[in-house]
Amino acid sequence: MIRFGVLWLQLSELFVSSAVHLLYGFYIFSSAVAGDLYQAFRECLCKPSPNLDESRDPAATTHVENLPPIVLVHGIFGFGKGRLGGLSYFAGAEKKDERVLVPDLGSLTSVHDRARELFYYLKGGQVDYGEEHSVACGHSKFGRIYEQGHYPEWDEDHPIHFVGHSAGAQVVRVLQQMLADKAFNGYENTSENWVLSITALSGAFNGTTRTYLDGMRPEDGKTMKAVCLLQLCRLGVIVYDWLDIPWLKAYYNFGFDHFGISWKKVGIWGLLNCILGNTGPFASGDWILPDLTIQGSMRLNSHLHTFPNTFYFSYATKRTRKILGLTVPSSVLGIHPLFFIRVLQMSQWRHPPDVPPPYKGYRDEDWQDNDGALNIMSMTHPRLPIEHPSHYVVSDADCQPLEPGIWYYKMVEADHMLFIVNRERAGVQFDLIYDSIFQRCRKHVFRKSLPTLPNNIVADDE
């Protein structure tokens, strides 16, 4: 009877979680479509005047072009510029600066694959996932072609600022390590110094216990339970990619095109093989969730470095508090509906007693504070399996002058989605966070001196 009751609760929770995620996905998709239709309607009614002079001051243009770009890297289920119509993953934050890039990477592909995609998005050319990796994971070595890179001059003399949300922060760290390891064929001069700064917004550095709640097995951090939310997600993604509807995939793409699971290539038997777990990204483990378990993050972190010439910053978001020694959600209305159940569950997380802990010294209480998707333990700075240099920041004045090679981190009262998709939810905090990030990129972490505008040049004899 007890087992039946537990099973009923688990199925009820699965139904509620699935319904919430599905409804939110439909809400985002329909909002994007509605926004595009409204924009098209406005353009039909109000055609821009051809007589308007939209030219810029040449000096200002030169100054902008001399600035290193700020690259915003999305997280899981995210999207870049050009997907979901006019909807912005970063809620329009990219408009705060004239030199911002928002790449569209695979929303569910592995950290490795996304790091490779990000490199070629910037430099140009055909994405090369690497021979060894591609053979091991069962997909094509090559992917999307970028006829023109978005920053082809990228090198040590033209470095880049990166801002990564959630898993996007780990993607940038892996990319920097690949640059240091000279891991891109035809680019023998890459180095870690191509990266000027990395800023993480709710960064997934050390994994999250949410992966286990969603269905990853805590025994290995690689495989999924037979019945769970991730299994439903897996089936939906396989069918979506197999149907391969061009206009739909142009609107939103999970990023698994290099696995070639379209009906045009594999037919009905290929679909069955994917569903049965014999082929595809979920069979090989080459997708994002295994990288977000504690064990998967430790495997990644074991060869990732914090480099001495790069500036590192992190904003850890939190929606829990302590009451009488218990960790509970800090509010009800202030937590996104997509995350409320998970905030509660993660705050009460207990590692299964019959399963070996993921690392020596593991304690449940270290992983209870969270934002509904990630634990505070994961977001501050890389700390597993080896803790990297870090400094807790209360006020920006506490860490001046800034030093490279140290993770400066702040705590922010917010859930995992407060600073993306919907700007109105964050209110004034949205501007405070992004303004501080962009201002720091522009004023405080230049490896070389700031470019000087022509009208600011002072003669030597003055």
Side-chain angles (χ1 to χ4, degrees):
M1 188 66 181
I2 294 177
R3 284 186 178 180
F4 178 79
V6 171
L7 178 61
W8 184 85
L9 287 174
Q10 290 174 339
L11 291 176
S12 299
E13 190 274 332
L14 176 60
F15 174 78
V16 172
S17 295
S18 302
V20 170
H21 283 78
L22 189 62
L23 287 172
Y24 186 70
F26 179 75
Y27 163 73
I28 291 294
F29 190 86
S30 60
S31 296
V33 172
D36 284 354
L37 292 175
Y38 175 71
Q39 184 64 29
F41 180 71
R42 284 192 62 184
E43 289 175 358
C44 288
L45 292 181
C46 308
K47 294 183 179 180
S49 172
N51 297 323
L52 290 177
D53 182 12
E54 296 180 352
S55 61
R56 292 179 180 174
D57 177 27
T61 302
T62 302
H63 175 57
V64 168
E65 290 180 350
N66 286 336
L67 291 173
I70 301 171
V71 181
L72 306 183
V73 184
H74 64 74
I76 186 172
F77 286 109
F79 51 93
K81 187 176 181 180
R83 299 288 185 187
L84 284 179
L87 195 63
S88 167
Y89 179 86
F90 288 93
E94 62 270 23
K95 297 177 183 178
K96 286 180 169 290
D97 189 275
E98 294 183 85
R99 196 79 161 119
V100 178
L101 299 173
V102 190
D104 180 69
L105 309 176
S107 66
L108 281 181
T109 49
S110 64
V111 169
H112 173 279
D113 288 2
R114 292 180 65 195
R116 306 291 293 193
E117 291 164 6
L118 181 54
F119 177 84
Y120 290 98
Y121 165 90
L122 293 165
K123 290 294 288 183
Q126 186 170 22
V127 176
D128 183 347
Y129 293 106
E131 182 72 31
E132 183 179 347
H133 173 83
S134 302
V135 170
C137 297
H139 62 67
S140 172
K141 180 185 175 184
F142 298 103
R144 181 175 177 180
I145 298 175
Y146 292 97
E147 298 290 350
Q148 175 66 37
H150 290 75
Y151 192 56
E153 60 266 43
W154 185 30
D155 58 20
E156 191 165 332
D157 294 325
H158 303 86
I160 288 178
H161 297 288
F162 287 95
V163 179
H165 176 254
S166 191
Q170 194 76 322
V171 169
V172 176
R173 292 188 66 224
V174 169
L175 173 59
Q176 186 178 29
Q177 188 64 54
M178 288 177 176
L179 294 170
D181 295 340
K182 306 186 187 309
F184 297 95
N185 290 333
Y187 296 91
E188 289 75 22
N189 66 333
T190 62
S191 80
E192 65 275 12
N193 293 328
W194 286 29
V195 178
L196 189 51
S197 75
I198 297 177
T199 300
L201 190 55
S202 308
F205 299 127
N206 305 293
T208 169
T209 56
R210 172 160 178 174
T211 58
Y212 311 122
L213 291 166
D214 286 345
M216 298 301 293
R217 294 185 183 275
E219 293 89 339
D220 57 14
K222 294 180 179 179
T223 57
M224 285 182 282
K225 300 171 185 175
V227 179
C228 63
L229 181 64
L230 292 179
Q231 287 286 7
L232 297 178
C233 172
R234 180 183 76 92
L235 294 174
V237 171
I238 289 173
V239 172
Y240 187 93
D241 265 37
W242 184 81
L243 289 174
D244 195 16
I245 303 172
W247 70 267
L248 197 57
K249 291 190 74 173
Y251 215 62
Y252 186 83
N253 196 333
F254 292 106
F256 292 126
D257 291 342
H258 53 302
F259 278 89
I261 58 177
S262 165
W263 66 271
K264 302 170 187 175
K265 296 181 179 180
V266 300
I268 190 68
W269 292 112
L271 173 63
L272 292 175
N273 271 325
C274 283
I275 290 176
L276 293 174
N278 298 325
T279 59
F282 305 101
S284 64
D286 191 30
W287 65 300
I288 190 65
L289 261 296
D291 291 336
L292 296 182
T293 62
I294 297 174
Q295 297 96 323
S297 294
M298 289 177 64
R299 286 191 291 269
L300 284 175
N301 288 338
S302 63
H303 69 275
L304 299 182
H305 295 83
T306 291
F307 293 98
N309 295 324
T310 302
F311 294 88
Y312 298 93
F313 310 92
S314 177
Y315 294 85
T317 46
K318 175 183 175 183
R319 268 303 185 196
T320 53
R321 60 178 176 176
K322 298 284 186 183
I323 297 180
L324 300 176
L326 295 176
T327 305
V328 297
S330 58
S331 69
V332 177
L333 298 179
I335 300 176
H336 195 283
L338 197 64
F339 292 111
F340 182 79
I341 293 177
R342 287 298 185 252
V343 171
L344 180 61
Q345 290 177 317
M346 291 174 69
S347 68
Q348 304 302 314
W349 167 255
R350 298 292 184 272
H351 190 77
D354 57 337
V355 175
Y359 60 90
K360 186 178 180 180
Y362 170 88
R363 302 188 310 163
D364 285 328
E365 52 266 36
D366 293 337
W367 293 86
Q368 290 174 351
D369 281 317
N370 68 89
D371 68 355
L374 295 174
N375 314 83
I376 293 295
M377 178 75 173
S378 182
M379 290 184 279
T380 57
H381 61 286
R383 56 172 77 194
L384 295 172
I386 298 173
E387 185 153 358
H388 293 223
S390 64
H391 180 80
Y392 175 51
V393 177
V394 177
S395 170
D396 289 341
D398 298 339
C399 55
Q400 298 297 336
L402 296 169
E403 296 181 24
I406 298 174
W407 283 93
Y408 293 93
Y409 68 92
K410 269 187 170 185
M411 307 295 293
V412 182
E413 185 66 24
D415 63 45
H416 196 67
M417 288 186 65
L418 195 66
F419 301 110
I420 61 171
V421 181
N422 188 342
R423 183 172 184 161
E424 284 69 31
R425 281 194 69 230
V428 69
Q429 278 197 89
F430 183 94
D431 294 309
L432 291 174
I433 289 289
Y434 282 107
D435 286 347
S436 67
I437 293 173
F438 284 29
Q439 287 171 11
R440 184 169 55 241
C441 288
R442 291 297 175 232
K443 295 181 180 179
H444 302 300
V445 294
F446 268 87
R447 197 173 291 138
K448 297 182 180 181
S449 60
L450 281 164
T452 305
L453 291 175
N455 60 354
N456 287 342
I457 297 176
V458 180
D460 293 334
D461 57 350
E462 289 184 0

